[in-house]
Amino acid sequence: MPGGADLGYCRTLNGEGNRRIAQFVERGGAYFGFCAGGYYASKKCEFEVGNRRLEVVGDRELAFYPGTCRGCAFPGFVYHSEEGARDAELKVDKTVLAEGAVPEVFRSYYNGGGVFVDAPKFKNKGVDILASYTQKINVDPGEGTAAVVYCKVGEGAAILTGPHPEFAAVNLDPKADGEDFSKVVEALARDEKARTDFLKACLAKLGLQTNQDQITVPSLSRLHLTSMHPSETSNMIESLRDIISTEDGEEYIKDENDTFHLEKPATWSMGSLVGALPQGSNEKTDQKDDAEDRILDYSTVVKRLLVHDTDHPTSKETPYFNHHAYYANLKHYQTLGENVNLEFGKNLLYGEVVTSTNTMLEKNTQVLRRLPTGFTASATVQVAGRGRGSNVWVSPAGSLMFSLVVRHDMSITAKAPVVFLQYLAALAIVEGIHSYDPGYQNLPIKLKWPNDIYALDPSQAPSSNAYIKIGGILVNSHYSSTEYLSVIGIGLNTTNALPTTSLAAIVPPHLPAMTLEKLLARLVTTYSTLYTRFRDTGFDHYFEDMYYRHWLHTDQIVTLEAEGGIKARIKGITTDWGLLVAEELGWEDRPTGRVVQLQSDSNSFDFFKGLLKRKV
């Protein structure tokens, strides 16, 4: 539960919302409340008592901490400002935080948080003090100066904080609110490793598995454009010729979201010369030094695009993706299938580190309009869209991430509606995995309506029939008078290390291990086969039978939030627009005769809670 102001949480969650949160935690869940989230989960909140403009005093329903959270711990707080912010020094109790490399003392960003009053007195109620303020407190803290507390709640637990240990220094603007704040940011930067170590220890205390390696946001890498037959890469460039501009002898494509600098592997430029020089541990040159570039706007970074029209990249150029293996497997799978569209996967854009394969294609519409059906973009690591400092989503190593371009003719949409492209993607993943190699046909992979992929949870007993998400699908479409121009994005945990659950965890040891190159080739060819048939037949009984064979929901009983909380049984999907069909249930779960149809783009499915929720 994030910081801000807890009165908004009260207005929204008091009553049923808090009942659900409390029930979740009591049954084994975890709650992490930062600053206002800490006030909110205490039995009583006291904020700036006596200050008419800021005072907030009252009991709180969750009461995970059985006492009072009182603030501000330090003076000077101003809403929406860094005026009262500081680098609060925290002393860690290593006797209760024993996992990982836990710091003795570190500095944490603070702005308006409280102190947990008389925390030592609640030891017998399951409260542990994880960290305490070392500096003089502005309010009466009672016994102790608890800044971060752990509270046992039924079978679960909560950690509540006064400061903000989740904030990295690079999230903060050193120019905000005067010269003193820049010194705060500098002090926080010096303790960055200690901060992340403390946060990891807190997560472990809540029962979560964490990676103890120090991970930084990677810089964007070069992009590599290739074709199955290298000479055909030149044809791809020619199709883009009318949007290529020349500056100082260098070629560029300047599109709506990104600018691409076209290079040949053998050409020399000052940029390539700089890239060849030693750069310490990081040899990529696509971004400024992180110390100078506090806010990362990846759309302003020029993407260097290497055009490989004589041979595929060497392993030195792309050490995490073997192009020769990919194209060999693509050719192999093309010979095995029927109705395989040979255009799918033939042209590949690959980057070791990119923003997002979907973003690069879907947001650059000039390029997208000139790409053929089956054009594929893939990456080893994605840093999604715009990232502020370290506060970005970075994909874990071992995930297969790729996007496919599909140009779907308007003339066939009555028979083959474009909405089914996401269903075909789900089917291609399951069918593709099952046909990856002999023996893979029995892997327990399922699909969840409308666009998620689940695997049998390897950490649970097989008899529990517990499934866990390992992948997802995102489809973005542009509409013109003659066609839908769609980008189908797929992310699949494949060879990820723990604690991420991936396909590797459910592959029996006697079977050959999966590789990302071979799996990409299999999924692309499987999709091409399914799409070729779909264009001719629509989502007919062949696809219906296949879909129901792989999905999780047959006769599942759910609650339809969008329909006023009625109880219903899932019956299937419609073959015209892919709507989810559910029949209303009445007394003793008997059908009432009423049938409800739900759209995938306005409802989400919480499979484990049996709840269909309206998207907001």
Side-chain angles (χ1 to χ4, degrees):
M1 186 70 78
D6 92 322
L7 284 179
Y9 303 156
C10 294
R11 286 191 292 269
T12 302
L13 296 172
N14 276 355
E16 178 62 17
N18 284 333
R19 185 192 67 78
R20 293 190 182 189
I21 294 173
Q23 185 180 73
F24 166 76
V25 178
E26 289 166 358
R27 291 180 177 179
Y31 175 103
F32 209 147
F34 299 103
C35 197
Y39 283 115
Y40 183 67
S42 298
K43 186 175 182 181
K44 186 175 183 180
C45 168
E46 292 184 3
F47 182 80
E48 289 294 282
V49 176
N51 183 329
R52 290 185 178 180
R53 188 168 57 88
L54 296 177
E55 180 178 284
V56 177
V57 179
D59 294 335
R60 297 293 181 262
E61 292 180 349
L62 291 179
F64 293 153
Y65 177 67
T68 298
C69 184
R70 180 177 292 153
C72 295
F74 300 103
F77 173 76
V78 177
Y79 275 112
H80 312 299
S81 167
E82 305 290 5
E83 192 69 34
R86 65 172 60 206
D87 51 305
E89 186 178 77
L90 305 181
K91 181 174 177 57
V92 180
D93 187 343
K94 300 179 74 169
T95 64
V96 292
L97 276 182
E99 188 165 331
V102 184
E104 294 273 359
V105 176
F106 75 101
R107 291 186 177 272
S108 173
Y109 174 69
Y110 169 91
N111 197 357
V115 59
F116 297 93
V117 178
D118 288 326
K121 295 181 179 179
F122 297 109
K123 179 73 175 176
N124 62 347
K125 293 189 176 182
V127 174
D128 287 330
I129 301 171
L130 305 186
S132 300
Y133 297 110
T134 64
Q135 296 144 316
K136 184 179 179 182
I137 300 298
N138 191 50
V139 293
D140 180 8
E143 183 180 340
T145 56
V148 183
V149 294
Y150 168 90
C151 310
K152 185 65 177 170
V153 183
E155 296 179 8
I159 289 181
L160 315 180
T161 79
H164 282 279
E166 81 280 16
F167 270 52
V170 291
N171 292 107
L172 305 168
D173 182 359
K175 298 178 183 178
D177 299 312
E179 182 180 339
D180 287 345
F181 189 63
S182 66
K183 296 176 182 177
V184 169
V185 175
E186 290 174 6
L188 294 173
R190 288 192 293 270
D191 277 5
E192 175 59 16
K193 184 178 185 306
R195 178 195 70 82
T196 57
D197 286 343
F198 175 76
L199 199 56
K200 289 176 183 179
C202 289
L203 294 171
K205 182 80 172 174
L206 289 172
L208 302 174
Q209 290 178 285
T210 63
N211 188 330
Q212 292 302 318
D213 295 335
Q214 190 72 12
I215 299 174
T216 58
V217 178
S219 299
L220 299 183
S221 66
R222 291 178 177 88
L223 302 170
H224 300 266
L225 181 63
T226 61
S227 295
M228 176 179 280
H229 305 292
S231 60
E232 295 182 1
T233 310
S234 298
N235 298 335
M236 283 296 306
I237 294 301
E238 284 306 309
S239 70
L240 302 171
R241 181 58 58 187
D242 62 324
I243 57 171
I244 296 176
S245 60
T246 302
E247 297 180 13
D248 299 326
E250 301 289 334
E251 293 186 326
Y252 295 87
I253 296 175
K254 297 182 179 181
D255 213 326
E256 294 177 23
N257 193 74
D258 295 301
T259 296
F260 302 93
H261 179 197
L262 276 59
E263 301 178 356
K264 294 288 185 69
T267 59
W268 278 72
S269 66
M270 289 303 295
S272 62
L273 178 60
V274 170
L277 295 174
Q279 301 283 327
S281 60
N282 185 355
E283 297 184 358
K284 300 182 183 72
T285 60
D286 298 287
Q287 293 177 195
K288 299 177 183 178
D289 186 339
D290 284 347
E292 299 176 4
D293 191 12
R294 298 286 180 178
I295 299 176
L296 305 180
D297 185 354
Y298 290 117
S299 66
T300 66
V301 178
V302 176
K303 282 67 178 181
R304 298 166 64 184
L305 175 59
L306 271 67
V307 180
H308 296 267
D309 56 4
T310 59
D311 200 358
H312 294 144
T314 65
S315 59
K316 184 177 181 180
E317 291 175 291
T318 58
Y320 297 100
F321 189 87
N322 187 324
H323 283 76
H324 294 280
Y326 165 70
Y327 283 116
N329 281 294
L330 183 69
K331 186 175 182 179
H332 168 69
Y333 286 128
Q334 286 175 343
T335 62
L336 295 181
E338 296 181 4
N339 298 321
V340 177
N341 185 333
L342 299 182
E343 295 299 307
F344 276 78
K346 183 182 78 171
N347 301 298
L348 177 68
L349 180 67
Y350 166 78
E352 181 183 327
V353 183
V354 307
T355 51
S356 157
T357 57
N358 258 42
T359 296
M360 285 196 303
L361 298 181
E362 191 263 332
K363 296 297 184 183
N364 293 300
T365 54
Q366 292 189 73
V367 171
L368 179 61
R369 286 197 295 267
R370 292 162 174 82
L371 295 178
T373 282
F375 184 90
T376 304
S378 186
T380 297
V381 173
Q382 287 189 151
V383 287
R386 178 183 173 88
R388 182 178 172 86
S390 66
N391 192 26
V392 298
W393 179 79
V394 180
S395 64
S399 295
L400 176 61
M401 295 161 293
F402 70 100
S403 299
L404 280 172
V405 174
V406 173
R407 308 181 77 107
H408 193 68
D409 295 337
M410 280 293 297
S411 61
I412 63 171
T413 54
K415 174 178 60 179
V418 70
V419 69
F420 283 103
L421 295 184
Q422 65 181 331
Y423 297 100
L424 295 182
L427 289 174
I429 293 171
V430 180
E431 290 282 316
I433 292 170
H434 284 167
S435 58
Y436 176 87
D437 251 348
Y440 274 78
Q441 65 272 16
N442 297 319
L443 288 191
I445 307 293
K446 295 288 186 181
L447 56 88
K448 180 179 81 69
W449 182 85
N451 52 14
D452 289 327
I453 306 300
Y454 276 63
L456 194 66
D457 190 343
S459 67
Q460 305 293 323
S463 59
S464 68
N465 204 35
Y467 279 79
I468 188 169
K469 182 178 176 179
I470 61 166
I473 300 156
L474 174 66
V475 179
N476 300 113
S477 295
H478 294 265
Y479 167 78
S480 74
S481 59
T482 60
E483 65 182 358
Y484 284 99
L485 191 48
S486 299
V487 177
I488 301 167
I490 292 173
L492 189 64
N493 295 341
T494 305
T495 61
N496 311 67
L498 291 173
T500 304
T501 301
S502 67
L503 285 170
I506 63 170
V507 173
H510 68 275
L511 293 179
M514 277 189 165
T515 67
L516 297 178
E517 296 89 347
K518 185 173 180 177
L519 183 59
L520 175 59
R522 175 71 288 198
L523 299 190
V524 167
T525 51
T526 304
Y527 191 91
S528 74
T529 300
L530 296 177
Y531 179 68
T532 300
R533 178 189 172 92
F534 172 69
R535 285 176 53 88
D536 294 334
T537 68
F539 204 80
D540 61 3
H541 290 303
Y542 171 84
F543 285 114
E544 270 193 287
D545 292 343
M546 184 187 298
Y547 195 81
Y548 295 145
R549 187 165 67 246
H550 295 314
W551 84 333
L552 286 164
H553 309 301
T554 301
D555 288 331
Q556 183 181 358
I557 294 178
V558 298
T559 299
L560 304 182
E561 185 180 88
E563 298 292 326
I566 68 171
K567 203 173 184 182
R569 179 180 284 112
I570 301 299
K571 301 305 294 181
I573 59 174
T574 66
T575 57
D576 50 3
W577 299 109
L579 304 179
L580 189 72
V581 178
E583 61 177 8
E584 183 182 31
L585 300 178
W587 183 67
E588 293 185 342
D589 290 342
R590 294 178 180 176
T592 65
R594 181 189 174 204
V595 175
V596 179
Q597 296 183 350
L598 301 159
Q599 297 182 72
S600 62
D601 60 352
S602 58
N603 294 278
S604 61
F605 204 152
D606 190 333
F607 172 69
F608 297 104
K609 291 188 174 128
L611 179 67
L612 269 166
K613 299 176 288 186
R614 185 185 299 277
K615 286 185 180 179
V616 294

